[in-house]
């Protein structure tokens, strides 16, 4: 709920909804709905089409979301290639995402693909809702390395990390 409110994805004005406090960005008080376009949001559950590859997903997202010079086929391919490299997805770039019915890329690769889809618009902030859920230690480490790289390049990263039951 907190991430949904901060990202401007939840109606806090409706009947039965209340929250108190202020939300600020860069030291200025803001309404979350007004800054929603500068925040990327990666949900806990990946909702990627099973019969597509990470490369196809990133290219399709880029063609739909980028405008002007950034949306030309050459620029899209260039951006997608850089993103696949930065997200460590080059080895699986042309492998189907997969589903419960057939094997595809790993859980960590799916999570990094979801992050890549959101990064195409160059957001100022990225919110990740439990990005490590269901991942083994190597996949979790790789996802967190990608987040660290994002933060070092000026993108604010906010993750929710669940507390293990043990």
């Amino acid at each position: 709920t907190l991430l949904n409110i901060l990202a401007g994805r939840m109606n806090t004005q409706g009947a039965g909804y209340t929250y108190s406090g202020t939300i600020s960005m860069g030291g200025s008080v803001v309404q979350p709905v007004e800054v929603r376009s500068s925040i990327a949001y990666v949900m806990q559950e990946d909702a990627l089409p099973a019969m597509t590859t990470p490369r196809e997903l990133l290219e399709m997202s880029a063609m739909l979301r980028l405008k002007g010079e950034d949306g030309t086929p050459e620029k899209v391919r260039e951006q997608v290639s850089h993103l696949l490299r930065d997200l460590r997805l080059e080895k699986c770039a042309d492998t189907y995402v997969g589903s419960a019915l057939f094997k595809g890329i790993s859980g960590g690769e799916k999570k990094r693909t979801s992050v890549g889809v959101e990064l195409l618009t160059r957001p100022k902030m990225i919110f990740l809702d439990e990005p490590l859920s269901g991942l083994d230690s190597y996949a979790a480490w790789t996802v967190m390395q990608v987040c660290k790289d994002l933060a070092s390049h000026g993108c604010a990263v906010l993750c929710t990390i669940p507390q293990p039951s043990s």
Side-chain angles (χ1 to χ4, degrees):
T1 305
L2 177 61
L3 279 185
N4 286 329
I5 290 172
L6 293 175
R9 292 174 170 254
M10 184 174 242
N11 179 6
T12 57
Q13 307 296 317
Y17 294 107
T18 61
Y19 84 96
S20 61
T22 57
I23 298 171
S24 63
M25 181 184 264
S28 302
V29 175
V30 295
Q31 291 299 318
V33 174
E34 294 170 6
V35 293
R36 187 162 126 167
S37 62
S38 61
I39 300 171
Y41 190 100
V42 180
M43 296 186 157
Q44 180 179 358
E45 293 297 320
D46 300 313
L48 303 173
M51 298 299 294
T52 57
T53 68
R55 183 184 314 280
E56 291 170 338
L57 283 165
L58 294 175
E59 286 177 354
M60 180 177 61
S61 180
M63 286 187 276
L64 291 171
R65 298 169 94 179
L66 299 177
K67 294 176 175 51
E69 191 177 304
D70 284 343
T72 64
E74 300 82 32
K75 286 281 192 181
V76 164
R77 279 192 294 277
E78 182 182 323
Q79 254 190 319
V80 167
S81 292
H82 283 104
L83 205 49
L84 288 169
R85 184 193 67 233
D86 292 347
L87 294 171
R88 300 174 180 100
L89 291 170
E90 290 175 305
K91 288 182 182 177
C92 70
D94 298 307
T95 303
Y96 286 132
V97 168
S99 69
L101 299 176
F102 72 95
K103 183 146 175 55
I105 62 178
S106 73
E109 291 164 341
K110 285 180 186 176
K111 186 61 70 177
R112 294 194 312 272
T113 300
S114 294
V115 170
V117 167
E118 294 301 323
L119 289 179
L120 284 165
T121 59
R122 295 185 188 106
K124 294 178 185 173
M125 303 176 79
I126 185 165
F127 293 175
L128 297 105
D129 187 12
E130 297 189 23
L132 310 180
S133 294
L135 302 182
D136 62 28
S137 58
Y138 177 75
W141 180 85
T142 306
V143 168
M144 293 316 299
Q145 283 300 116
V146 168
C147 290
K148 182 180 173 185
D149 292 346
L150 286 172
S152 70
H153 288 93
C155 181
V157 178
L158 174 67
C159 299
T160 57
I161 307 295
Q163 180 177 349
S165 57
S166 59

